Amino acid sequence: MKRLLTTLCVGLGLWFSAAALAQTAEPPKDAAPAPAATAPAEAPAAEAAAAAAPAAPEGEAKPAVTVDKGDVAWMMTATLLVILMVLPGLALFYGGLVRSKNMLSVLMQVMVVFSLISVLWAIYGYSLAFGGEGAIIGTLDKVFLMGVTTESLADTFTENVKIPELIFVAFQATFAGITCALIVGSFAERIKFGAVLLFSAIWFTFSYLPIAHMVWGPGGYLLGKGALDFAGGTVVHINAAMAGLVGAYMLGKRIGYGREAMPPHSLTLTMVGASLLWVGWFGFNAGSNLESTAGAALAFLNTLVATAAAVLAWAIGEALLKGKASMLGAASGAVAGLVAITPACGSVGPMGAIVIGLVAGFLCLWGVTGLKKMLGADDSLDVFGVHGVGGIVGALLTGVFAAPGLGGTGAEDFSIASQLLVQAEGVVITMVWSAVVAAIAYKIVDMIIGLRVTEEEEREGLDITYHGESAYNR
């Protein structure tokens, strides 16, 4: 077993090193330029930015680099809003959905995973995601945040308008943190606490960072292809959903699943959590504009109306299928709408956003009912049914409603068919990459410390057996 573990670890290390070295190759000269609203790109220091700028004609002054205090204030606010999404938003949303004996275990997993990834992001994650110009992965030039100072600047989507690189690092750290925390919902109520942390570290390194670089990083493969993912449909939601689905299969079903009732213990807390997610998502989506401009306002409005449309769609769907619309359904619909509009929020018009929300509401309802039965996995809190299905819907429909004729921000020569192919490629790459890395990561963790708790521990509940606490005093 030790030999197998050593072989796997060495293999992963060699693969990752090779990928990093291989990225020195230049992208094809005929590659399409990245759309302005595709994703944030890591920026050099102010001096480097100035040096790289085209020389101004003789006698004409170079445009001055501007750092607007309003943009800085907005990005700090947006970062705080994303933290609110996770703590307490996601934690309470998930916590209310599990049984009371596992409430604290889910809260603990979300909080500690977010904290772990935030630290790893500062140590090496930021550098690998946004450093260098590789097609698949960045470099270690900024490991330990070397060169990131109060003087270094990050690009926005407006030429010569910059923001402090420090706040860009912090903003992107919250994206990495919530992505890994989302996975917790798939294997809730039956996984060892240490296994969650070890898996999160491995998957973050070998799945989140490469996907983030390919979609958002300088020279990234999907960025160069022109893939549109404004705030993380592929990087965050599809990526996390695939890892969660693989985990649900590899850990197996909860004891009594399908035979015993396992209702949420507090839909009140779930509704509070969903509401906090909705509020925080305005920072997630509108903050991805990186400036306090009309672009942020567009993402803000789209986040509002798409989510509202998804809530209505889910409620209508439940009423038609079951005769009653539920609070759990409304909360789930809100999350489905938020997920689906994420990649599209800066590229589509409000009417397109409403259509995306309606489609996501209906399809994600099917995702947690019909599709879940077809897959046969015990995805405890329906991470794939909501984040996977919603992420795919949003990513593909971005390629439709970004068309200027449908109210989107695409160029006049925008081709829906061509963009759909690029969007589909991004979806497939993310799904396959995440699934393969997750399977290897779960296997490594299982060999080192084991994945699943014992039957006795699962029956008693993870709050007491792993944390020595109870969420409620009886």
Side-chain angles (χ1 to χ4, degrees):
M1 185 172 289
K2 289 184 177 179
R3 286 186 180 180
L4 178 59
L5 175 59
T6 302
T7 302
L8 286 170
C9 291
V10 170
L12 281 171
L14 290 174
W15 167 83
F16 206 59
S17 300
L21 291 172
Q23 305 321 309
T24 55
E26 294 184 359
K29 292 183 179 180
D30 59 350
T38 297
E42 179 269 343
E47 296 83 359
E58 190 174 345
E60 184 178 329
K62 295 180 180 179
V65 171
T66 301
V67 179
D68 188 272
K69 291 181 179 179
D71 293 338
V72 178
W74 164 237
M75 290 309 300
M76 293 174 69
T77 302
T79 303
L80 285 173
L81 286 170
V82 182
I83 296 173
L84 180 73
M85 286 174 65
V86 195
L87 308 169
L90 181 66
L92 289 179
F93 180 75
Y94 277 175
L97 289 174
V98 298
R99 290 167 287 183
S100 59
K101 63 183 180 181
N102 296 310
M103 168 69 164
L104 292 181
S105 71
V106 171
L107 299 183
M108 186 73 169
Q109 288 170 17
V110 170
M111 179 176 240
V112 178
V113 165
F114 182 80
S115 301
L116 171 66
I117 299 306
S118 296
V119 172
L120 295 181
W121 180 260
I123 294 173
Y124 65 87
Y126 175 68
S127 185
L128 288 174
F130 290 100
E133 296 185 0
I136 296 177
I137 195 66
T139 66
L140 292 174
D141 292 348
K142 295 195 174 185
V143 67
F144 300 113
L145 296 184
M146 289 189 299
V148 180
T149 69
T150 55
E151 300 298 322
S152 59
L153 301 175
D155 290 332
T156 66
F157 297 122
T158 302
E159 188 177 1
N160 299 315
V161 175
K162 312 288 183 182
I163 58 174
E165 191 172 9
L166 288 168
I167 191 56
F168 183 69
V169 173
F171 183 65
Q172 289 298 330
T174 62
F175 276 57
I178 194 173
T179 303
C180 294
L182 285 172
I183 303 171
V184 165
S186 289
F187 44 57
E189 301 193 295
R190 61 196 188 277
I191 192 170
K192 294 180 179 179
F193 181 61
V196 175
L197 301 183
L198 182 56
F199 167 79
S200 297
I202 297 172
W203 184 85
F204 161 75
T205 304
F206 295 101
S207 186
Y208 181 83
L209 295 179
I211 296 297
H213 184 82
M214 281 191 275
V215 174
W216 291 334
Y221 173 75
L222 290 171
L223 181 65
K225 295 278 286 188
L228 298 173
D229 189 352
F230 194 81
T234 51
V235 179
V236 177
H237 299 293
I238 299 175
N239 207 6
M242 287 306 301
L245 182 61
V246 171
Y249 280 122
M250 295 189 72
L251 270 91
K253 299 176 181 179
R254 289 167 289 178
I255 296 172
Y257 179 76
R259 301 187 307 274
E260 303 173 8
M262 298 180 180
H265 88 277
S266 178
L267 286 178
T268 301
L269 291 179
T270 293
M271 190 275 175
V272 172
S275 301
L276 289 170
L277 280 168
W278 195 346
V279 172
W281 223 288
F282 289 107
F284 193 80
N285 284 356
S288 292
N289 189 66
L290 302 180
E291 300 173 77
S292 183
T293 63
L298 175 65
F300 195 103
L301 177 58
N302 285 340
T303 302
L304 173 64
V305 296
T307 308
V311 170
L312 295 176
W314 195 300
I316 292 170
E318 272 194 330
L320 293 174
L321 291 173
K322 303 177 182 179
K324 296 179 181 178
S326 69
M327 181 66 254
L328 174 58
S332 299
V335 177
L338 291 166
V339 169
I341 197 58
T342 291
C345 60
S347 306
V348 305
M351 297 304 106
I354 290 175
V355 175
I356 290 173
L358 290 171
V359 173
F362 286 120
L363 286 184
C364 288
L365 173 58
W366 168 76
V368 304
T369 53
L371 179 61
K372 186 173 184 177
K373 291 179 181 177
M374 292 169 56
L375 294 174
D378 180 11
D379 181 355
S380 305
L381 308 182
D382 294 314
V383 176
F384 186 80
V386 175
H387 294 271
V389 174
I392 293 170
V393 168
L396 295 179
L397 290 185
T398 299
V400 176
F401 290 101
L406 297 175
T409 62
E412 291 184 4
D413 60 348
F414 184 91
S415 168
I416 292 177
S418 298
Q419 191 63 48
L420 269 174
L421 287 175
V422 174
Q423 297 300 107
E425 182 179 1
V427 168
V428 172
I429 288 175
T430 302
M431 292 179 72
V432 173
W433 191 294
S434 179
V436 171
V437 171
I440 295 173
Y442 284 120
K443 191 63 178 177
I444 291 174
V445 174
D446 195 27
M447 290 188 296
I448 296 175
I449 59 178
L451 284 171
R452 186 152 182 164
V453 301
T454 66
E455 182 176 342
E456 291 182 1
E457 291 171 334
E458 186 173 343
R459 290 191 181 281
E460 185 174 356
L462 305 188
D463 289 2
I464 293 294
T465 56
Y466 274 82
H467 306 294
E469 301 173 298
S470 178
Y472 307 101
N473 294 320
R474 293 181 175 85

